[in-house]
Amino acid sequence: METDESDRYRAPALDKGLDILELLAGVDSGLTQADIAKRLDRSPNEFYRMLDRLVRRGYVTKLDGDRYSLTLKLFGLAQLHAPVRRLASYATPLMRDLAQRTRQANHLAVFDRGAAVVIAQQEAPDYWGFSIRIGAHINLFDTGSGHVLLAFRSAEEREMMMSEHVRSRADIELGPEFYDRLDQIRERGYEMMASAQTAGVYNLSAPVLGPDRRCIAALTCPFIALVNAPPAPDITQTIMLVQKAAAQLSLLAGADVVNSG
């Protein structure tokens, strides 16, 4: 009896999990277990264990009631792949030039599995400055990078990112003023806020946008007023330079995405 080459190494459980992920990827409001079974022409009982594992591993979340929806974990994993390294390589000369022009340190952060993660960092050119190490995880709710990553996303993506950031939305209080602030950031094109972690530091953050105008990274300068130092841009001039560098990186990132597609 001949065996179809494509079926020789079948993995039914893996196929079932991938079928669920691919189905949920095309649905905005989630599906019940029964809906999933119906669309995949299977028995609902076949998917109970698989859905449970996908939820426990963070790839799928259970919404109000009994609907299931994709999280951003797959998106986060993809960001850690070659495109992120390529984005960091594009950013390096721009960030070095930004540090020289502003006399300040700067860093680049992307969203990954519930946090803003620093993927590139440039020290201040002088003998002192404020910097954040590569690989550091940054809070979404009280940092410039986090605000920018949330502000330049759709309402649905924003809610998913927030849900991944905390185990329970009941643990945090996000009133209307928080969402108003995100709208203001999107309108003016940047965030400027006093650091919630370090006195005397201001987070100046601007978005790096993809071809679809969604934020793929946040470029941030932890601004410190320099005293007894060579002439350096003030905070207003610095945020303009940060915006300019982020816009240049957006063009490079967008061109790369278009050309490779």
Side-chain angles (χ1 to χ4, degrees):
M1 179 179 177
E2 293 185 4
T3 302
D4 188 338
E5 189 68 26
S6 64
D7 287 340
R8 177 175 296 181
Y9 301 110
R10 290 184 68 238
L14 177 59
D15 285 335
K16 194 181 299 182
L18 293 174
D19 286 342
I20 293 172
L21 294 177
E22 290 173 358
L23 175 62
L24 292 178
V27 177
D28 291 331
S29 56
L31 295 171
T32 65
Q33 183 178 335
D35 291 333
I36 294 171
K38 183 177 180 179
R39 295 199 186 194
L40 296 179
D41 195 23
R42 302 280 189 88
S43 165
N45 292 333
E46 290 187 57
F47 294 103
Y48 177 78
R49 287 186 179 181
M50 183 60 66
L51 282 169
D52 180 70
R53 295 314 305 166
L54 289 172
V55 169
R56 289 177 182 274
R57 294 293 297 270
Y59 291 96
V60 171
T61 187
K62 196 169 183 180
L63 304 175
D64 294 337
D66 59 352
R67 291 180 299 114
Y68 294 88
S69 179
L70 280 188
T71 68
L72 291 180
K73 186 170 183 178
L74 283 173
F75 173 73
L77 291 175
Q79 283 196 314
L80 294 180
H81 196 42
V84 168
R85 294 195 297 272
R86 193 156 59 243
L87 179 64
S89 69
Y90 288 156
T92 298
L94 292 172
M95 294 171 68
R96 185 182 304 120
D97 180 68
L98 178 63
Q100 289 291 336
R101 290 175 179 272
T102 61
R103 319 304 296 174
Q104 306 276 347
N106 60 78
H107 56 268
L108 188 70
V110 300
F111 178 80
D112 174 45
R113 287 172 284 182
V117 181
V118 176
I119 64 167
Q121 183 264 348
Q122 184 64 46
E123 298 282 355
D126 298 319
Y127 64 87
W128 69 274
F130 184 86
S131 61
I132 300 178
R133 62 177 175 79
I134 293 176
H137 285 59
I138 300 173
N139 192 295
L140 291 180
F141 303 133
D142 60 6
T143 65
S145 295
H147 286 181
V148 164
L149 288 169
L150 290 171
F152 292 85
R153 288 298 183 93
S154 68
E156 293 77 13
E157 288 177 311
R158 185 182 294 173
E159 288 302 313
M160 289 178 67
M161 293 165 74
M162 291 179 178
S163 296
E164 287 199 14
H165 187 67
V166 291
R167 293 189 176 184
S168 171
R169 290 295 294 276
D171 294 339
I172 57 172
E173 295 182 7
L174 296 177
E177 63 280 358
F178 180 77
Y179 292 93
D180 289 343
R181 185 180 188 92
L182 296 183
D183 290 340
Q184 293 167 10
I185 293 169
R186 190 181 185 104
E187 182 176 347
R188 67 175 176 250
Y190 64 87
E191 171 66 302
M192 179 186 292
M193 60 177 284
S195 171
Q197 292 76 35
T198 307
V201 175
Y202 281 81
N203 294 327
L204 311 182
S205 304
V208 177
L209 303 175
D212 57 2
R213 307 301 294 170
R214 294 163 65 249
C215 182
I216 59 176
L219 180 61
T220 298
C221 169
F223 181 89
I224 303 173
L226 301 177
V227 179
N228 294 328
D234 61 20
I235 193 169
T236 302
Q237 295 168 322
T238 298
I239 187 55
M240 293 176 63
L241 291 171
V242 173
Q243 281 188 281
K244 182 178 179 180
Q248 291 175 316
L249 185 53
S250 297
L251 290 176
L252 291 174
D256 177 70
V257 171
V258 171
N259 291 338
S260 64

